[in-house]
Amino acid sequence: MSRVYNFSAGPSMLPLPVLEKAQKELIEQGGSGMSVMEMSHRSKPYEAIINSAEANLRKLMEIPDNYKVLFLQGGATLQFASVPMNLMKKGKADYIVSGQFSKKAADEAKKFGEVRIVASSADKNFSYVPTVSKSDFSTDADYVHICSNNTIFGTVYNYTPETGDIPLVADMSSNILSKPIDISKYGLIYAGAQKNMGPAGLTVVIVREDLIGNARAGTPTILDYKVQADNDSMYNTPACYSIYVAGLVFEWLLELGGLAEMEKINVRKAGKLYDYLDSSLMFKPTAEKAYRSIMNVCFVTGDEELDKKFCSEAAKAGFVNIKGHRSVGGMRASIYNAMPEEGIEKLVAFMSEFEKNNLKGR
Ligand SMILES: *Cc1c(COP(=O)(O)O)cnc(C)c1O
């Protein structure tokens, strides 16, 4: 068996101990006589799996009791529609556009009401995150929507927007569980699992109880947060296996020491890569320093041919999926929780070697 260092933005690496545990339990889980994939979602063994996944996520993220945790499907993209369908009581929302996903979220919300773009960083190809303050928001907005970490552009909010009484909604798909956050500052958080939580197919929604129960007329039953909450995310069959693997990831994080410990590791990991990039004569990071993501690190050589050569040689050396998104070009190393520190150290060593070999004569 030979595993590569997978820098994919998503679906992305899972912790090896999680995969090993899933492998061990693949055919028969916990004395149930069957695979998790074969279980009824309403059976006792499965109930134990989903309940412990929720309990462990609550513990990890210190989710207050007045928040519901929902295990849904449809990806973060379906939440672009579900959020306005459920939260737009007055039909108005404020959006901050800091990348491609927040733009998509705003465009989708326009189908359901009046969307105001409070700020955007499109002017500099989303290389920074706009700074907004309380007075920038519409007093009658139903919510303010942000994307906390911009997966494609490698930028992150270095502050939490102060929205006063207006609920703050955040797409945290690419940085949930990367560090501790104060849940009470948010009305709703959502994230697709396949970046930092588990396999694709699961979308986690964490929502303050008082915000649910007001879905607009015509909202499909399955998309109504109240229906999902009242049915413990089992209005229909949930993404059973993805929830099980995400549960193993939550256990792995708890054993590691929780999110404060994970953040320390992530800061150290990203620091090693950014320190090299800052000293390199060949590679340049694309995100403004103050908004650098510790999950997605974007960089370029400034020469498309050289970028191509780098990606191809990197892949041969076992560093795969490092090509940047087409809207930024260059490279993107997604270094989520599961990327071992050693993977980054080896990547940096590989990059320095590539730099030495290719800088000559330029
Ligand atoms: C990946 C991603 C999405 C899209 O997620 P899907 O699960 O594919 O719908 C949305 N927002 C952010 C921030 C992402 O990283």
Side-chain angles (χ1 to χ4, degrees):
M1 184 190 71
S2 112
R3 280 176 59 80
V4 292
Y5 293 110
N6 180 7
F7 293 90
S8 167
S12 43
M13 276 184 105
L14 285 166
L16 190 56
V18 165
L19 292 176
E20 284 167 343
K21 179 142 195 223
Q23 180 185 44
K24 232 173 83 200
E25 297 182 338
L26 183 72
I27 292 173
E28 199 267 313
Q29 194 271 345
S32 64
M34 61 181 82
S35 170
V36 177
M37 282 183 262
E38 302 169 304
M39 283 176 188
S40 159
H41 57 296
R42 313 220 180 258
S43 65
K44 277 269 171 302
Y46 193 74
E47 208 172 279
I49 288 169
I50 193 169
N51 289 346
S52 106
E54 180 177 340
N56 285 333
L57 183 62
R58 284 186 174 277
K59 196 161 153 192
L60 263 181
M61 295 186 75
E62 296 179 35
I63 301 172
D65 288 343
N66 62 327
Y67 284 73
K68 296 284 187 193
V69 173
L70 307 176
F71 292 134
L72 308 179
Q73 301 185 59
T77 306
L78 184 52
Q79 293 308 311
F80 298 167
S82 289
V83 166
M85 281 195 265
N86 280 275
L87 302 191
M88 262 190 187
K89 277 197 281 187
K90 291 171 278 185
K92 279 188 180 182
D94 283 359
Y95 278 69
I96 300 173
V97 173
S98 57
Q100 201 160 299
F101 289 118
S102 48
K103 164 105 180 25
K104 277 189 177 168
D107 287 344
E108 190 72 359
K110 285 175 191 164
K111 294 182 175 173
F112 304 100
E114 200 181 305
V115 167
R116 196 168 72 94
I117 308 299
V118 177
S120 163
S121 50
D123 58 337
K124 290 183 183 164
N125 198 28
F126 302 116
S127 56
Y128 69 103
V129 170
T131 302
V132 290
S133 57
K134 206 168 151 183
S135 58
D136 293 323
F137 302 117
S138 321
T139 47
D140 57 349
D142 288 313
Y143 61 88
V144 171
H145 182 282
I146 63 167
C147 175
S148 61
N149 185 79
N150 301 287
T151 324
I152 292 173
F153 301 93
T155 62
V156 68
Y157 275 77
N158 57 7
Y159 70 103
T160 308
E162 184 50 65
T163 57
D165 292 336
I166 312 170
L168 179 61
V169 173
D171 174 357
M172 290 197 184
S173 293
S174 54
N175 73 338
I176 193 165
L177 303 182
S178 67
K179 61 178 183 186
I181 53 161
D182 181 354
I183 302 274
S184 69
K185 288 191 172 155
Y186 299 85
L188 186 148
I189 290 166
Y190 64 90
Q194 72 275 20
K195 306 323 182 3
N196 216 11
M197 278 189 290
L202 165 67
T203 311
V204 172
V205 172
I206 301 163
V207 57
R208 216 174 63 208
E209 272 168 2
D210 62 287
L211 295 177
I212 64 176
N214 305 298
R216 61 187 273 129
T219 299
T221 313
I222 193 175
L223 300 186
D224 186 334
Y225 295 141
K226 179 80 167 71
V227 171
Q228 291 288 5
D230 288 348
N231 287 277
D232 298 321
S233 306
M234 295 236 202
Y235 175 70
N236 70 330
T237 317
C240 298
Y241 197 76
S242 295
I243 293 169
Y244 156 75
V245 179
L248 297 182
V249 171
F250 304 154
E251 279 174 23
W252 174 77
L253 280 165
L254 284 168
E255 272 164 35
L256 191 125
L259 298 189
E261 190 54 35
M262 193 67 247
E263 180 182 25
K264 270 190 224 157
I265 299 170
N266 284 331
V267 166
R268 201 166 65 219
K269 273 159 57 180
K272 285 182 179 170
L273 188 46
Y274 283 120
D275 282 351
Y276 165 68
L277 289 171
D278 285 335
S279 71
S280 169
L281 298 174
M282 175 178 280
F283 299 104
K284 291 280 156 276
T286 56
E288 278 186 26
K289 207 164 188 167
Y291 307 100
R292 285 176 174 176
S293 168
I294 57 171
M295 296 279 99
N296 311 96
V297 180
C298 297
F299 53 96
V300 294
T301 63
D303 172 344
E304 276 179 38
E305 284 309 308
L306 195 58
D307 288 350
K308 244 190 231 161
K309 185 177 181 201
F310 173 77
C311 290
S312 126
E313 289 189 13
K316 279 184 211 139
F319 308 100
V320 309
N321 291 323
I322 210 159
K323 187 173 182 289
H325 190 273
R326 58 191 181 281
S327 53
V328 188
M331 280 68 69
R332 169 177 53 175
S334 294
I335 50 172
Y336 300 117
N337 291 349
M339 172 60 68
E341 194 156 352
E342 170 202 273
I344 289 159
E345 286 162 0
K346 288 188 175 162
L347 175 67
V348 167
F350 176 81
M351 289 171 76
S352 331
E353 193 57 31
F354 182 89
E355 179 171 349
K356 229 188 296 160
N357 295 338
N358 290 273
L359 210 53
K360 287 183 236 135
R362 279 169 60 85

